[in-house]
Amino acid sequence: MWMPMPVPPKRAAIDPWPLLGFWMRAIGFFLVFAGTLVVVLGASPGGGCFTSLGSCGTGFLGQAANSIWAAKILWVLGLGALGAGAAIRLHWGLQWPENATPEHVNWLLADRRMNGLLFLISVVLLLVILWTFGNVAITIPTGG
């Protein structure tokens, strides 16, 4: 009765990072797809606009601008999730095993290159969206 309790056996720790990286990339791809779908549906003129030009009305340009605005928000969220998922995969998900075969090393290197490229493309596209977003202008000081 006065003996200390036995130490519970150690359980194998589950590594959540690869799964989190996968789901971040999957959600990111879905958000980029949804943003593209929003801009295609909202900024495409209907068939009546081609047969009689007066049938488009004055609200079409506002609808197109709003759909492009909503799509940019979805694209930013999607590209952020893609970049975060690739960064998580790069930093925590791809660990070098102790006894790796050459095929496994080649696979790891290819996966690291792919995730690094996905991260860089996400950052570049985010900067393009920032640069082209409405009244936001990036100015480079010329000194002087």
Side-chain angles (χ1 to χ4, degrees):
M1 187 126 192
W2 295 99
M3 300 286 290
M5 293 187 67
V7 178
K10 289 186 178 182
R11 295 183 182 164
I14 297 173
D15 188 15
W17 296 112
L19 189 61
L20 181 65
F22 168 77
W23 280 110
M24 290 291 287
R25 289 185 299 177
I27 290 169
F29 277 119
F30 173 74
L31 288 172
V32 169
F33 170 74
T36 304
L37 190 62
V38 164
V39 79
V40 167
L41 290 175
S44 297
C49 290
F50 298 111
T51 57
S52 63
L53 295 177
S55 67
C56 286
T58 58
F60 173 71
L61 291 178
Q63 170 190 334
N66 286 334
S67 65
I68 290 170
W69 178 75
K72 283 186 178 182
I73 290 173
L74 290 172
W75 286 336
V76 166
L77 292 173
L79 288 171
L82 277 174
I88 288 170
R89 188 94 170 118
L90 272 173
H91 190 71
W92 287 292
L94 298 172
Q95 300 296 327
W96 294 101
E98 291 182 20
N99 299 326
T101 62
E103 293 83 15
H104 195 234
V105 169
N106 287 337
W107 180 84
L108 281 172
L109 288 174
D111 201 20
R112 288 186 68 80
R113 280 191 297 270
M114 190 271 307
N115 282 297
L117 184 64
L118 184 62
F119 177 74
L120 287 176
I121 288 172
S122 297
V123 169
V124 167
L125 288 176
L126 282 170
L127 289 174
V128 167
I129 289 173
L130 175 68
W131 188 56
T132 61
F133 189 65
N135 297 327
V136 177
I138 297 175
T139 58
I140 300 173
T142 57

